Amino acid sequence: MSILSDRISASIANSSWIRRMFEAGMILKKQYGEDKVYDFSIGNPDLPAPALVAKGLRAFAEKAEEPFAFGYMPNAGFPWAREALARHLSQEQGIAIAGEDVVLTCGAAGGLNAFFRAVLNPGEEVLTFSPYFVEYGTYVANHGGTFRAIPAEKDTFAPDVAGLEAAISANTRVLLINSPHNPTGVVYSREQLEAVIAVLRAKSAEYGKPIFLVADEPYRFLAYDGVSVPSTLPLYEYAVVVSSFSKNMSLPGERVGYVIICPNMPEKQALAAGLTLTNRILGFVNPPVVGQHIMVAALGSQVDLNIYAARRKAMAEVLDAAGYEYRMPEGAFYFFPKAPGGDDVAFVSKLQEQRVLAVPGSGFGCPGHFRLAFCVDEKVIRNAADGFKAAMQAMK
Amino acid sequence: MSILSDRISASIANSSWIRRMFEAGMILKKQYGEDKVYDFSIGNPDLPAPALVAKGLRAFAEKAEEPFAFGYMPNAGFPWAREALARHLSQEQGIAIAGEDVVLTCGAAGGLNAFFRAVLNPGEEVLTFSPYFVEYGTYVANHGGTFRAIPAEKDTFAPDVAGLEAAISANTRVLLINSPHNPTGVVYSREQLEAVIAVLRAKSAEYGKPIFLVADEPYRFLAYDGVSVPSTLPLYEYAVVVSSFSKNMSLPGERVGYVIICPNMPEKQALAAGLTLTNRILGFVNPPVVGQHIMVAALGSQVDLNIYAARRKAMAEVLDAAGYEYRMPEGAFYFFPKAPGGDDVAFVSKLQEQRVLAVPGSGFGCPGHFRLAFCVDEKVIRNAADGFKAAMQAMK
C-alpha cells in the first residue's frame, strides 16, 4: 500500500498538465538556457508589481517591530482592509459593497475552497462550462461535492444556456463561471449573464432552494478593445464573486484574494460567518498580514495593460503567420487555438520539440485545443515564431 | 434551510471557545478600555518580532519591483528557502534533514490540513491525547477522517500509553501529539516518547501498515528551567513534525509554517509529493512569498525567552496568592488550573465578570480546568491578581 491515501495517489499519477509543463520548462531552461525556451505554460505574470506595492512594503517595514505587527486578526481579515477593499470594489462592481460583505482569503483558490467548504452538503453538485480551469474539480472534491462540466458552445465558447437548464437537478448547489475566461479569453456579455441567471432563478424556484452563481474573476481588469466585463452582483442576489490580486498586481505567490457576497443576498451574514469559519478551519486562518497591507497600499493601481495588448497582437501575428486557427481573446492573457491534427497532447509534444511550451486542452476538459499563456515578454513570443511554424509543418 | 451546509451551520452554533473569548475581549476592551481587561484568552504573542524580521522585510522591499518578485514558485516553497530551513532544522532536531524533506506550508494549521488531506482514506482514524487544541478535530473532519481523543493521565497530563494501545485499531492512521503542550504546558520526556513509539511500532507490525506519529510543535523553543524537548525524528521513521514561526518569531498572522518528513521514512519522496499536491489543491498553493523571505532572513533568531519565564513566574505567584490548584507548565505559554467549583464554563463566566478572560477546559476536551495564555505583558498578569482572587472568593 502507498504511504498516501488512494485518492491522492491517483491525483499525483494524473497531475495537473499546467504544473507538469511548468516543471518540464524548468528542466529545458537549465539544459538550453532561459532564452532558448519559449514558455507559454503557466499564468505566472512577468510584469513587475505596481510601484505602490513596494512602497506599501517599505511603509509596513517601518512598523514591523511593533507588538502584534504580524499578530492574529479576525479570520475574515483586518477590518480596515475589508473596508478599504469594499470601497474599491463598490466602484469596480457598480454596486454598494460594505466591508462585512467581503471576506479576505488566501488567493482566489483559497476563497473557492472556503466557499465550497461552507456551502456544500455531501454529494451536492457544482456545475461549470468546459473548457475550465482543471483545479475547479479538485476544489469541489476536497469538500465532498460532485463536479460536472457542461460543454460551452462550440467555437464561440459562449455559455450553453439550454445545456445548463438540462443539467441542473435538485442536487445542484452552485454554477461556477469565469469571465474573462481561462483558457479561452472569452468575456461573457451582459445578455449572456442575464440568460444564465434566468435559468438559475427558474430552477431555484422549481427546487425551492437558491442556486449560487460564483464568478471567479481574476482577469476582470484585462479586457481588450474596450470590451466591458459586466458584474454579476447587480443582476442576481445569490451571486458571489471570487478574485485576487495575482494577475492585476502580479502578486500570485503572495496569496491575497477575497470573496464578495452579493449585498442583496438574504442571509448574507450567515454566509460571511460561514466563510470566516471555513477560512479558519481549513488552516488558512487569515490571508497573510503583509499581503493585506500591500493590497490596501496599492488598491486601484495595476500593471500596464498596453503591454498585454501588444503581446496579444504579437501572438496573433505569430499564430497567423504559421497558419493556426483560433478565436481572438477578448480578455485575459491566453490563446486557445485548435491543435493541428486534432490530438492536443500529441501536438503539444511537437511544440515541446521546438522548445515551445503549451498546455493541452485536455488539461481543461477540452481536447483538440491547446492553451498559450502570453504573460511573457514580447520577445519570447516573436522568437517562438519559427518553433510554431516548424511544429505546424511537422503535422502536414 | 440554511444558506450554509448542515455541518458548517452546526460548527458555527458550536464555535471555538478560544475565538469566542477573543471576540468577547474585543467588546469588553471597547467598553472598559484596554488596560481594564485582562485577556488571557488567545495565543497571540505580544512580543515584537525579532529585529531580523523587519530587516529581512526591508531587504526584500528593495527587490519588490523586479519581475516575478511575488511570482509563483514550486508548491512546496522556494527551493532556497527549503534548503535554508532544512539546515536550521537539522541542528534543532538533531538529525540530518535535506531541503526535499521539508515542505513549506501556510502555518502549522495549513501543514496539518495538507498532511491529513494527503494520507487519510475516508473513515481512517486520527488519535490524540486530551486535553488537546480543539481545531485538531476539525482538521481531521475536513478530510473525511475520524478523530478520537484518549484522555491523558490524570493530573500529570502524561501520555496514557496503555490507553493508546487499547485505542489503536486497524483503522488508525495517525497519532497526533503536541509537546510543549497547549493547553497544559507539559513537555514529553524522551522516555515517554519512546514508550509511545514502541506501541506504534508494535501496532504497525500487527496491522501491517505504518501508523504516523505527527508532532505539532510550535512551542519547541519555549521550555523552562533547562527542560529539553526531545525530537521524535531520530526515534521513529514514520515521524512527521509540523510547526511554524507563529510563536518563536511572533508571526502568527503571516502564515508561514512547515512539515518535516522523517529523513529515514521509506517512501518519503511520495509523501513530499503528496504534500506538495495537497498544498496546491486545498488552495494554499504556497506559503506567502514575503513570509518565506522574512523567515529565511530571521532563521535562528527568536523572541526573548526571559520575558516569558518572568511572566510564568508572575502568573504562578498570582494564582498561588488566590489559592488556585495547577501544575507548573514546563513549556509553552499556558497554565491549565483546576476550575474552582469544578464547572469550568461557569467559572470562566465568573472570571469574565472580573474582566479576566480565560478559556474553559471544555474547549480542549477537558472540562474542570481552564486555560490562561500568558503571552501578555507582565503588568496585565499582576493587575489581574484582584480579579483572580474575587472570582475564587465568589465560588466559596
Side-chain angles (χ1 to χ4, degrees), chain B residues 43 181-185 219 247 329 331-336 371-374:
Chain B
H181 186 256
N182 171 12
T184 65
Y219 302 103
K247 314 298 179 182
F333 45 52
Y334 304 106
F335 280 73
F336 198 59
R371 188 189 79 168
L372 300 168
F374 63 84

Side-chain angles (χ1 to χ4, degrees), chain B residues 107-119:
Chain B
L112 287 168
N113 273 282
F115 179 79
F116 291 138
R117 182 77 178 93
V119 306

Side-chain angles (χ1 to χ4, degrees), chain A residues 1-9 11-12 15-16 19 22-23 26 42-51 53-55 57-58 60-62 64-75 79 106-107 109-110 113 116-122 124 135 138-139 141-145 173 208-210 212 238 246-247 249-255 265-268 270-275 277-278 280-292 294 375, chain B residues 1-9 11-12 15-16 19 22-23 26 42-51 53-55 57-58 60-62 64-75 79 106-107 109-110 113 116-122 124 135 138-139 141-145 173 208-210 212 238 246-247 249-255 265-268 270-275 277-278 280-292 294 375:
Chain A
M1 61 167 283
S2 164
I3 202 165
L4 299 172
S5 73
D6 299 337
R7 50 195 180 179
I8 294 299
S9 294
S11 299
I12 285 183
S15 87
S16 155
R19 280 279 162 180
F22 178 56
E23 279 152 27
M26 287 169 66
I42 196 173
N44 195 14
D46 71 315
L47 296 184
V53 166
K55 195 177 168 199
L57 202 54
R58 282 191 294 266
F60 176 70
E62 294 310 308
E65 293 183 61
E66 291 174 12
F68 303 111
F70 299 91
Y72 286 126
M73 85 288 315
N75 300 125
C106 289
N113 272 281
F116 291 138
R117 182 78 178 92
V119 306
L120 290 178
N121 288 300
E124 283 185 336
E135 307 255 312
T138 325
Y139 300 163
N142 282 338
H143 311 294
R173 184 72 155 150
K209 62 173 198 185
F212 292 104
Y238 286 100
S246 298
K247 313 300 178 181
M249 294 190 193
S250 288
L251 297 177
E254 188 55 13
R255 315 309 305 142
M265 189 184 293
E267 294 191 76
K268 66 178 182 174
L271 182 54
L275 291 169
L277 178 78
T278 57
R280 190 180 85 227
I281 67 176
L282 286 171
F284 301 111
V285 183
N286 52 251
V289 164
V290 181
Q292 293 185 60
I294 61 184
C375 49
Chain B
M1 58 165 286
S2 163
I3 201 164
L4 299 170
S5 73
D6 300 336
R7 50 196 181 178
I8 294 299
S9 294
S11 299
I12 286 183
S15 88
S16 157
R19 280 280 162 178
F22 179 57
E23 280 154 26
M26 289 170 65
I42 197 173
N44 196 15
D46 71 316
L47 296 184
V53 167
K55 195 178 166 199
L57 203 53
R58 283 191 293 265
F60 176 71
E62 295 310 308
E65 292 182 64
E66 291 175 12
F68 303 112
F70 299 91
Y72 285 127
M73 84 288 314
N75 300 125
C106 289
N113 273 282
F116 291 138
R117 182 77 178 93
V119 306
L120 291 179
N121 287 300
E124 284 185 335
E135 307 255 313
T138 326
Y139 300 163
N142 282 339
H143 311 294
R173 185 70 155 152
K209 64 173 195 184
F212 291 104
Y238 286 100
S246 298
K247 314 298 179 182
M249 294 190 193
S250 289
L251 297 178
E254 189 54 13
R255 315 308 304 143
M265 189 184 294
E267 293 190 76
K268 66 178 182 173
L271 183 54
L275 291 169
L277 177 78
T278 57
R280 190 181 85 226
I281 66 176
L282 286 171
F284 301 112
V285 183
N286 52 250
V289 164
V290 182
Q292 294 186 59
I294 61 182
C375 49

Side-chain angles (χ1 to χ4, degrees), chain A residues 75-79 81-90 97-105 233 241 245 257-263 268 272 275-276 279 295:
Chain A
N75 300 125
F78 288 115
R82 295 170 74 190
E83 294 289 338
L85 180 58
R87 279 191 298 276
H88 170 76
L89 294 173
S90 298
I97 298 166
E100 62 188 17
D101 301 330
V102 180
V103 174
L104 299 184
T105 60
L233 297 174
V241 170
F245 300 93
Y258 54 88
V259 177
I260 317 173
I261 301 166
C262 182
K268 66 178 182 174
L275 291 169
T276 304
N279 234 359
M295 168 195 85

Side-chain angles (χ1 to χ4, degrees), chain A residues 61-300:
Chain A
E62 294 310 308
K63 298 182 292 184
E65 293 183 61
E66 291 174 12
F68 303 111
F70 299 91
Y72 286 126
M73 85 288 315
N75 300 125
F78 288 115
W80 51 263
R82 295 170 74 190
E83 294 289 338
L85 180 58
R87 279 191 298 276
H88 170 76
L89 294 173
S90 298
Q91 292 294 318
E92 178 187 281
Q93 300 278 338
I95 187 170
I97 298 166
E100 62 188 17
D101 301 330
V102 180
V103 174
L104 299 184
T105 60
C106 289
L112 287 168
N113 272 281
F115 179 79
F116 291 138
R117 182 78 178 92
V119 306
L120 290 178
N121 288 300
E124 283 185 336
E125 203 173 51
V126 176
L127 302 176
T128 199
F129 295 106
S130 62
Y132 61 95
F133 179 53
V134 73
E135 307 255 312
Y136 287 163
T138 325
Y139 300 163
V140 172
N142 282 338
H143 311 294
T146 303
F147 178 77
R148 194 143 60 99
I150 307 159
E153 289 191 4
K154 211 169 141 45
D155 297 328
T156 66
F157 303 116
D160 178 354
V161 178
L164 172 66
E165 191 164 9
I168 293 176
S169 71
N171 229 11
T172 305
R173 184 72 155 150
V174 178
L175 172 68
L176 173 58
I177 61 171
N178 171 226
S179 167
H181 187 255
N182 171 11
T184 65
V186 162
V187 175
Y188 292 175
S189 69
R190 184 169 167 133
E191 292 65 35
Q192 287 171 329
L193 289 177
E194 283 172 342
V196 161
I197 287 167
V199 170
L200 297 184
R201 280 195 198 287
K203 290 290 179 178
S204 293
E206 180 180 340
Y207 294 115
K209 62 173 198 185
I211 300 171
F212 292 104
L213 176 63
V214 176
D216 176 31
E217 48 184 50
Y219 302 103
R220 160 173 287 284
F221 73 108
L222 195 49
Y224 305 100
D225 303 331
V227 165
S228 83
V229 183
S231 170
T232 55
L233 297 174
L235 305 179
Y236 187 50
E237 63 274 23
Y238 286 100
V240 166
V241 170
V242 180
S243 194
S244 80
F245 300 93
S246 298
K247 313 300 178 181
N248 65 341
M249 294 190 193
S250 288
L251 297 177
E254 188 55 13
R255 315 309 305 142
V256 190
Y258 54 88
V259 177
I260 317 173
I261 301 166
C262 182
N264 303 325
M265 189 184 293
E267 294 191 76
K268 66 178 182 174
Q269 287 91 347
L271 182 54
L275 291 169
T276 304
L277 178 78
T278 57
N279 234 359
R280 190 180 85 227
I281 67 176
L282 286 171
F284 301 111
V285 183
N286 52 251
V289 164
V290 181
Q292 293 185 60
H293 278 274
I294 61 184
M295 168 195 85
V296 171
L299 269 178

